Amino acid sequence: MSKHKWLSDDQVQLLNEQHGWFKHGDAQSDVSRAFANDAVEAHERVRAAAPELLKALQRLVDAVDPESTGWDEAVATIAKAMGEA
């Protein structure tokens, strides 16, 4: 698996369902261009929202009991986003 996975498996599945499964030799087809454009748009939406998502996650971590489920994962994710992990 790539170190930098920009789209989740679920996002790729949705794109495949929308555009048809990507096949060898499709690299220059209209379907593959539409697939790629939609993939880039999905990535850009997440990238654009990332600063707000990080702030919201930080506020939630500050407000939640450290013993609650998911707290360690949230803290680790914040550290990763901040380049501290």
Side-chain angles (χ1 to χ4, degrees):
M1 182 181 302
S2 172
K3 179 180 173 185
H4 303 288
K5 188 174 179 181
W6 300 112
L7 295 175
S8 71
D9 291 341
D10 291 340
Q11 288 171 308
V12 172
Q13 177 73 26
L14 288 173
L15 289 169
N16 280 328
E17 288 173 1
Q18 181 179 353
H19 296 289
W21 289 92
F22 202 67
K23 296 179 181 72
H24 182 70
D26 282 348
Q28 300 302 317
S29 72
D30 289 338
V31 170
S32 65
R33 278 192 292 279
F35 181 102
N37 287 338
D38 285 352
V40 168
E41 287 175 15
H43 167 72
E44 288 301 310
R45 283 192 303 274
V46 172
R47 188 187 65 75
E52 292 85 7
L53 289 168
L54 179 58
K55 286 179 187 177
L57 183 58
Q58 288 171 318
R59 283 192 305 271
L60 284 172
V61 165
D62 290 342
V64 173
D65 177 12
E67 299 299 318
S68 62
T69 303
W71 191 84
D72 289 336
E73 183 180 1
V75 169
T77 302
I78 291 169
K80 184 177 179 181
M82 301 298 289
E84 299 168 359

